[in-house]
Amino acid sequence: MDKVLNFKQGRVPLLISMPHAGVRLTPAVESGLIPAAKSLPDTDWHIPQLYDFAEELGASTLAAEYSRFVIDLNRPSDDKPLYAGATTGLYPATLFDGIPLFQQGLEPSDEERATYLQQIWTPYHRTLQEELARLKAEFGYALLFDAHSIRSIIPHLFDGKLPDFNLGTFNGASCDPQLASQLEAICARHDQFSHVLNGRFKGGHITRQYGNPAQNIHAVQLELCQSTYMEEFEPFRYRADLAEPTRVVLRELLQGYLAWAKSHYSA
């Protein structure tokens, strides 16, 4: 299998994970998709571009190359559901709108999917684990920011329009509550955007699995409404005019994350 991830090591104790940024498909998945899925509508579009200031901040970045339609890197390998109600699994069977992802009888085989788990899911999580371990060894703590985006209105999954910034800390289990409060306060300063903490999105598998404040590893997920930086429907164009004010907030969130930890661990 070709390149499955894009990892850049930084110089500060922060790793930005982008598990749903990938757009590559395997032949088995591509040939089986329904026509409406060919444009990859449930992708976290343009996330690496949106966060391209990460290098300037000194953060490490880890981005998926393959689409979540192949395998969802933000789900546990045993595919246990993360949420009650409508959601998608390790091997998504439906689009966010609830319609089947694959033409009948054309889903990838169990053997194919076992390969995806071994060759796509496992390297991503191994890289994530190794980088968090490196950061903790070097700095005494590690910070994980799991970066996502989603269409702002998806009736099948939730009522009404989502807040613009959806912070998730697994109901306070994945990071220090003071840190979460500080990130919320940063969002609140930018009142042109709406925000919520642990609303519909509390953090997926990555946030829940790796966030461990007792071990000095903090994890925060941000689910960002795509209406804040792009066109939400085909051809899913990046909109720099929308994105620039959003990037101001993202930069402040990451700088605030780093500043909180530096202050907290130097005290």
Side-chain angles (χ1 to χ4, degrees), residues 5 29 84 105 144 169-170 198 207 211:
L5 57 84
V29 170
L144 174 62
T169 65
F170 195 26
N198 293 316
T207 307

Side-chain angles (χ1 to χ4, degrees), residues 238-256:
Y238 185 82
R239 287 274 304 275
D241 58 322
L242 297 175
E244 285 314 306
T246 303
R247 280 158 56 90
V248 169
V249 186
L250 295 175
R251 184 187 286 266
E252 286 187 24
L253 284 170
L254 296 177
Q255 289 173 325

Side-chain angles (χ1 to χ4, degrees), residues 11-51:
R11 60 182 188 277
V12 299
L14 171 64
L15 170 62
I16 303 171
S17 161
M18 310 174 195
H20 293 153
V23 295
R24 298 185 67 174
L25 298 171
T26 63
V29 170
E30 187 168 17
S31 63
L33 291 176
I34 65 168
K38 298 282 189 182
S39 64
L40 310 182
D42 298 344
T43 301
D44 291 10
W45 291 103
H46 311 297
I47 288 290
Q49 182 178 357
L50 192 67
Y51 286 86

Side-chain angles (χ1 to χ4, degrees), residues 59-91:
S60 300
T61 57
L62 173 61
E65 288 281 330
Y66 276 86
S67 168
R68 68 188 303 161
F69 290 169
V70 177
I71 189 168
D72 191 330
L73 301 175
N74 201 28
R75 298 293 182 268
S77 58
D78 61 8
D79 204 16
K80 285 186 179 174
L82 293 175
Y83 294 100
T87 187
T88 54
L90 181 67
Y91 304 106

Side-chain angles (χ1 to χ4, degrees), residues 11 16 24 26 29 53 57 79 120 122-124 175 189 197 208 218 223 241-242 249-250 252 256 262 266:
R11 60 182 188 277
I16 303 171
R24 298 185 67 174
T26 63
V29 170
F53 58 85
L57 291 182
D79 204 16
I120 301 173
T122 298
Y124 191 93
C175 82
R189 290 204 299 268
L197 175 64
R208 302 177 192 201
H218 302 268
E223 191 80 57
D241 58 322
L242 297 175
V249 186
L250 295 175
E252 286 187 24
K262 189 173 184 180
S266 63

Side-chain angles (χ1 to χ4, degrees), residues 57-231:
L57 291 182
S60 300
T61 57
L62 173 61
E65 288 281 330
Y66 276 86
S67 168
R68 68 188 303 161
F69 290 169
V70 177
I71 189 168
D72 191 330
L73 301 175
N74 201 28
R75 298 293 182 268
S77 58
D78 61 8
D79 204 16
K80 285 186 179 174
L82 293 175
Y83 294 100
T87 187
T88 54
L90 181 67
Y91 304 106
T94 63
L95 290 168
F96 286 167
D97 290 328
I99 58 177
L101 182 58
F102 292 98
Q103 301 171 61
Q104 191 167 4
L106 293 183
E107 300 89 351
S109 67
D110 290 344
E111 292 76 17
E112 277 276 341
R113 285 174 164 168
T115 302
Y116 306 159
L117 184 65
Q118 179 186 12
Q119 296 187 11
I120 301 173
W121 191 98
T122 298
Y124 191 93
H125 283 266
R126 183 170 56 239
T127 304
L128 203 160
Q129 288 172 314
E130 289 174 353
E131 180 62 2
L132 289 176
R134 183 192 73 83
L135 293 175
K136 187 181 172 188
E138 181 173 343
F139 297 97
Y141 59 93
L143 311 176
L144 174 62
F145 191 88
D146 209 40
H148 297 260
S149 73
I150 193 166
R151 199 164 76 237
S152 58
I153 300 175
I154 304 180
H156 179 67
L157 295 182
F158 40 74
D159 296 330
K161 183 182 184 297
L162 280 169
D164 297 318
F165 285 73
N166 299 266
L167 293 164
T169 65
F170 195 26
N171 289 329
S174 71
C175 82
D176 189 292
Q178 287 183 327
L179 168 58
S181 295
Q182 190 153 321
L183 296 179
E184 258 205 301
I186 290 169
C187 289
R189 290 204 299 268
H190 297 272
D191 57 8
Q192 75 270 40
F193 297 111
S194 54
H195 72 278
V196 68
L197 175 64
N198 293 316
R200 175 62 179 84
F201 299 97
K202 303 179 190 301
H205 173 67
I206 288 172
T207 307
R208 302 177 192 201
Q209 177 69 21
Y210 298 107
N212 188 341
Q215 295 295 317
N216 300 333
I217 301 174
H218 302 268
V220 176
Q221 177 180 294
L222 176 63
E223 191 80 57
L224 183 68
C225 272
Q226 291 177 341
S227 56
T228 65
Y229 73 93
M230 61 172 277
E231 294 175 1

